[in-house]
Every structure is written in structure tokens, then in C-alpha cells.
Amino acid sequence: MMLAGVVLYGIGLWNIFPTLSDRGYYVALLVLGLFPVAVYWHLVQHQCLSAVMNSWCRLTLLTAMGLLAVGLWNEPIPWQLKLMYVISWAMSLTGMAFYCRASGSVKS
């Protein structure tokens, strides 16, 4: 699921945005979104999740969501493509969470 989201996100970036700076912005947002998910699951695995780290992960994820929303709001592309980017970004994050959960690193 994560791979499908990343591939869809990357294909859309390559076809729509001609400049390297636009592509880099959206790739950075993808990485900024995936990082707190991986950190959160790593902390859960080692049972050292604190309220402060949980807040930092949420803040980083909300920042990435806000930057994605602002970036897509200002892009002159059809709303269907904007929706596709949001869905593929969310699918990548969900896939990362499923991957971390299924990798056996979290003991429920």
C-alpha cells in the first residue's frame, strides 16, 4: 500500500510539475509525512513513547498536512489531480503504518 501510494504520488509529480523545485517540494512533504509515522512506531516498539514525543510527531504530521494543503491550493491544476495527491499522500502514510505494524516490530 505504501509503495502504491508513493508510485502514484511520484508519477503524478513527474507528469504535472515541470520544474525541479515543485517536484522537490512535494517529495519533501512526502518524506516529512512519512518520518513521524516511522518514529512513532519505532517508539511504540521500544516502549518509550512519551507525551512529548507523541506531541512532536503530531505537530510534524500536521505541519506536513498544512504545507501540502497550501501547496496544492496554489497550484493551477484541476481539483481532481489535487484530490489524487491528497489521497496518494494519505495512502502512503497508511501504508507506512501498516508496514511498521506488520513487520513484527510492535507486539500487541
Side-chain angles (χ1 to χ4, degrees):
M1 187 171 188
M2 181 181 78
L3 184 61
V6 169
V7 167
L8 181 64
Y9 195 82
I11 288 172
L13 280 177
W14 194 260
N15 291 333
I16 298 298
F17 301 114
T19 63
L20 190 58
S21 63
D22 285 340
R23 292 177 189 162
Y25 176 77
Y26 289 104
V27 167
L29 288 180
L30 181 64
V31 171
L32 184 64
L34 291 174
F35 182 72
V37 174
V39 167
Y40 177 82
W41 283 108
H42 178 76
L43 292 173
V44 168
Q45 171 194 2
H46 295 292
Q47 298 174 348
C48 60
L49 184 65
S50 65
V52 173
M53 284 306 295
N54 193 11
S55 297
W56 277 108
C57 288
R58 286 183 185 175
L59 179 65
T60 307
L61 199 54
L62 286 173
T63 302
M65 289 168 140
L67 289 172
L68 180 68
V70 168
L72 289 176
W73 182 268
N74 292 322
E75 289 294 338
I77 58 175
W79 67 271
Q80 294 91 349
L81 289 176
K82 292 178 183 183
L83 184 62
M84 182 200 67
Y85 281 118
V86 171
I87 290 171
S88 62
W89 188 78
M91 194 165 71
S92 299
L93 296 182
T94 305
M96 176 65 104
F98 286 157
Y99 173 75
C100 291
R101 180 95 175 156
S103 67
S105 61
V106 178
K107 298 168 183 69
S108 299

